[in-house]
Amino acid sequence: MILEVCCGNLESVHAAVRGGAQRVELCSRLELDGLTPLWEELREARSLYPALKIHVLIRPREGDFCYGPEEVAQMEADIEKALELGADGIVIGALTEKGDVDAEVMKELVAQVKGRASLTFHRAFDVCRWPFDALETIEVLGFHRILTSGQAPSAQEGTDMLRELQRRAHLTILPGGGIHAGNARRILEFSGCRELHASASTALMGRKVTDAKKVAAILSVTQDL
């Protein structure tokens, strides 16, 4: 089982590593569901933890996932910067106004990444109107995994969808959303998935910061899976 810890700052990366995380998703502004991280933090994390797998969220703004040409250009520039700074993976997603995967935008961004880093389609998937059609499109585009709560408020509530996605998928289904030591094992066992995504965070002066003990607890209850 691989645990990916969502880290909104460098302090959280330190805690994730102390807790034993194998991979992190680096972003900023978790209170906005995550935006593109600060490049100084990516540079520092890469320097301090050369063996750590670091996936980088590319999301230029809060709100919906429908992006215009200027925003796509910004995402392209951000992807290039993340790769230059040593990102092992890129986490992206774009939708049409109708709620389908924006295949044209995604083709452009995927082509930039392909062969250089792992590709994750983020939780924009959870607002796609036809999840199984979206799954097929994402697979054809060449993604390696989909981060999803099973189109529910939390992965625990979305286990039925997670299980069906896992049954159909030829890529990795990465459950995320409200995962903690109390439900991690059940989600894995019921869905058949073998990776998890969690912030494992605690509130610290108005910020969400990863808690090393929470990371270790999730790993402890899932270590034999």
Side-chain angles (χ1 to χ4, degrees), residues 111-125:
Q112 184 180 2
V113 178
K114 231 169 188 179
R116 304 170 69 190
S118 179
L119 276 161
T120 299
F121 195 96
H122 60 48
R123 288 189 62 188
F125 180 87

Side-chain angles (χ1 to χ4, degrees), residues 24-219:
V24 300
E25 180 199 66
L26 185 61
C27 62
S28 66
R29 304 297 302 274
L30 280 179
E31 72 275 13
L32 301 178
D33 295 324
L35 300 178
T36 303
L38 300 175
W39 301 129
E40 296 80 5
E41 295 199 332
L42 173 56
R43 184 181 291 107
E44 185 73 4
R46 181 76 291 160
S47 175
L48 289 171
Y49 306 112
L52 179 67
K53 294 294 184 183
I54 302 176
H55 289 190
V56 174
L57 176 65
I58 303 296
R59 186 178 177 222
R61 58 161 171 79
E62 62 181 304
D64 64 45
F65 304 102
C66 303
Y67 299 112
E70 291 185 0
E71 291 171 321
V72 173
Q74 180 62 58
M75 293 167 76
E76 289 175 333
D78 288 345
I79 287 171
E80 199 60 36
K81 186 67 174 179
L83 293 172
E84 287 175 4
L85 292 175
D88 298 293
I90 299 295
V91 184
I92 49 177
L95 306 180
T96 67
E97 291 182 357
K98 291 183 177 180
D100 300 314
V101 175
D102 192 330
E104 292 308 308
V105 169
M106 287 289 89
K107 281 178 186 176
E108 192 173 335
L109 300 182
V110 167
Q112 184 180 2
V113 178
K114 231 169 188 179
R116 304 170 69 190
S118 179
L119 276 161
T120 299
F121 195 96
H122 60 48
R123 288 189 62 188
F125 180 87
D126 287 326
V127 293
C128 288
R129 58 175 178 165
W130 306 117
F132 303 128
D133 289 348
L135 170 62
E136 290 183 11
T137 300
I138 291 166
E139 287 183 330
V140 169
L141 284 165
F143 280 83
H144 300 99
R145 67 185 57 77
I146 296 173
L147 170 60
T148 174
S149 63
Q151 295 206 318
S154 70
Q156 181 171 323
E157 295 168 272
T159 49
D160 287 335
M161 174 62 80
L162 289 169
R163 183 170 184 164
E164 184 60 20
L165 289 168
Q166 177 68 15
R167 187 185 72 80
R168 295 177 181 232
H170 300 290
L171 47 64
T172 298
I173 299 300
L174 175 59
I179 289 175
H180 50 76
N183 61 20
R185 187 178 184 92
R186 179 183 178 278
I187 290 167
L188 287 172
E189 289 181 334
F190 187 84
S191 67
C193 298
R194 285 297 173 263
E195 295 190 5
L196 285 176
H197 172 98
S199 67
S201 62
T202 188
L204 181 64
M205 298 185 69
R207 299 181 302 132
K208 285 185 176 181
V209 179
T210 298
D211 185 326
K213 291 181 179 179
K214 290 183 179 182
V215 173
I218 295 172
L219 289 169

